Amino acid sequence: MLRSVCAALLLFLTLVEALADGRVALVVGVSNYEHGGRLANTLNDANDVAATLKRLGFDVETLLDPNRSSLEAAVRRYGERSVNADVSLFYYSGHALEAAAHNWLLPNSARLANERDLRFEAVDLDTVQEQTDGYAKVSIIFLDACRDNPFARRLSRGRSFAPRGLARVDVGRGAFLVAFSTGPGEVAIDSIGAKRNSPFTAALLKYIETPGLEIRSLLTRVTKDVSDETKGMQRPWQNSSLEGDFYFLPPPVAPAASSAQSLVTLDSMFWDAIKLSNNPADYKAYLTRFPKGMFVELAQNHLAILGQITVPSPKLENSPQVPQPAAPISSPPTVSFPDRDEIVRMIERARALIAVGDILSARIVLRRAYERGDARAALELGGTYDPLILRRLKVTVRDSFADAVQAHDWYVKAAELGSVDAIYRIKELSLQNQ
């Protein structure tokens, strides 16, 4: 047990180490504004996101309560680390403003008397985007930054100032995703009651470590949780130019079926197809193909019984003679209603056998279905000989498989049983041979 746990832990650490080689992140949380009061949950949000991203293999730089110069320096380092990265992620929790169609991130030292101060006191979100656009393979920005802003009152007289929320962010041609905690021009809730995190960050943390959850599906769940938590007052928004899927934790890889498992599956499928047969050739075919199969004793028992009992089968005139499989083809009786479901299952088994390349076994199954009077079985049996059909099924056409004469005979049989498709197949076959 201990060895299994250690092995699983080693595998997880190896995966995280491999991911860390191409994942970088800058996480910023601002709470204690020197000229704007305090936000309750932003530091918790930043610390929790940073810890989670580290578990997901990101090389994380965490910045708490930075002034403008330290925030700019961290953004510059973030850009340098993002060159050739598989994914770069920027997370910001704090105050932000929109002015003149730009979104400004406010460090704790921000002192704003008018709009002109933004250029010197805040950091333009465009600057963050420029650091990764075209450099990282995938760029992600999470902004939990639309909180009710005390700086808004001081700038409300500005002609180009938006008093609520942030502006829509356009993404370039690269693989970019930007997610806001609420829609453009709306205000996000910092906290509800005594909860540790904001509604947006709490929902993000809830789903971000879910294996196999693609980022857009993740944000759909986040949106629902936030809308439910805030009773519809807050609804996250995103804009994306991602062309492929992105997973914070990739889906687990299912182990490939071993050759032994595949053989067992074929064994069972073959036996299911013949277990009700009264033809000794079917059981001999099973014993030849699966000499150590799970049903060897049953097959031998059936052969012993069939050796003592002669089972009559009706004949139709002009039945096609099929040399392979070797057993003669009996004419089909009229199909009774209880047989129809079984015939459908037999045809499905035959198709499954064809899909894995076992044409000979499929023919045996289809012949048993035909002997119950089914036109579709005769049609599909003809297809297992038809060179054109075999090519469509991407089956290698070999002498042991393809036989236009046998295909024609089976199509004729299917047509006699009422199959219109068989008539078209006969015409196609004739055109091939011209």
Side-chain angles (χ1 to χ4, degrees), residues 186-222:
E186 299 297 328
V187 174
I189 297 172
D190 181 50
S191 62
I192 295 179
K195 293 186 177 181
R196 175 178 175 83
N197 300 112
S198 72
F200 175 76
T201 296
L204 184 64
L205 292 170
K206 177 180 177 181
Y207 295 113
I208 197 170
E209 293 183 275
T210 304
L213 185 59
E214 205 274 330
I215 189 169
R216 282 157 291 202
S217 298
L218 181 155
L219 290 172
T220 297
R221 296 188 185 187
V222 168

Side-chain angles (χ1 to χ4, degrees), residues 314-336:
K315 300 286 185 179
L316 283 181
E317 295 181 1
N318 301 322
S319 294
Q321 298 301 310
V322 183
Q324 190 174 26
I329 301 172
S330 58
S331 58
T334 303
V335 183
S336 63

Side-chain angles (χ1 to χ4, degrees), residues 41-54:
N41 290 346
T42 50
L43 299 188
N44 292 338
D45 292 341
N47 282 321
D48 292 348
V49 168
T52 300
L53 291 176
K54 288 177 182 178

Side-chain angles (χ1 to χ4, degrees), residues 140-343:
I140 299 169
I141 293 178
F142 289 135
L143 292 175
D144 197 353
C146 307
R147 295 165 166 86
D148 191 18
N149 203 316
F151 296 97
R153 292 187 296 274
R154 302 169 194 171
L155 304 181
S156 59
R157 294 182 181 181
R159 288 177 297 176
S160 59
F161 172 72
R164 290 169 62 87
L166 298 178
R168 174 190 174 93
V169 174
D170 293 323
V171 293
R173 294 183 179 180
F176 220 107
L177 183 144
V178 179
F180 286 112
S181 57
T182 193
E186 299 297 328
V187 174
I189 297 172
D190 181 50
S191 62
I192 295 179
K195 293 186 177 181
R196 175 178 175 83
N197 300 112
S198 72
F200 175 76
T201 296
L204 184 64
L205 292 170
K206 177 180 177 181
Y207 295 113
I208 197 170
E209 293 183 275
T210 304
L213 185 59
E214 205 274 330
I215 189 169
R216 282 157 291 202
S217 298
L218 181 155
L219 290 172
T220 297
R221 296 188 185 187
V222 168
T223 298
K224 183 180 185 305
D225 279 17
V226 172
S227 180
D228 291 346
E229 177 75 8
T230 62
K231 302 187 185 313
M233 296 174 59
Q234 179 180 335
R235 188 174 184 83
W237 174 89
Q238 61 172 294
N239 193 14
S240 170
S241 62
L242 296 180
E243 294 181 353
D245 294 336
F246 175 79
Y247 301 91
F248 283 101
L249 197 59
V253 179
S258 66
S259 57
Q261 289 174 320
S262 299
L263 188 60
V264 168
T265 301
L266 289 175
D267 184 347
S268 299
M269 290 172 63
F270 196 114
W271 180 255
D272 285 344
I274 69 168
K275 62 186 180 182
L276 300 178
S277 173
N278 290 326
N279 191 333
D282 292 346
Y283 300 103
K284 290 177 181 178
Y286 174 83
L287 293 171
T288 299
R289 184 163 182 79
F290 304 101
K292 297 182 179 180
M294 295 187 295
F295 308 100
V296 166
E297 291 184 4
L298 291 175
Q300 291 171 341
N301 291 340
H302 275 278
L303 282 174
I305 294 171
L306 292 173
Q308 299 169 14
I309 301 174
T310 301
V311 180
S313 58
K315 300 286 185 179
L316 283 181
E317 295 181 1
N318 301 322
S319 294
Q321 298 301 310
V322 183
Q324 190 174 26
I329 301 172
S330 58
S331 58
T334 303
V335 183
S336 63
F337 285 101
D339 282 342
R340 292 189 185 277
D341 290 340
E342 179 63 22
I343 288 172

Side-chain angles (χ1 to χ4, degrees), residues 394-406:
K394 298 181 180 180
V395 175
T396 303
V397 179
R398 302 195 311 238
D399 292 339
S400 61
F401 286 163
D403 187 330
V405 175
Q406 293 276 4

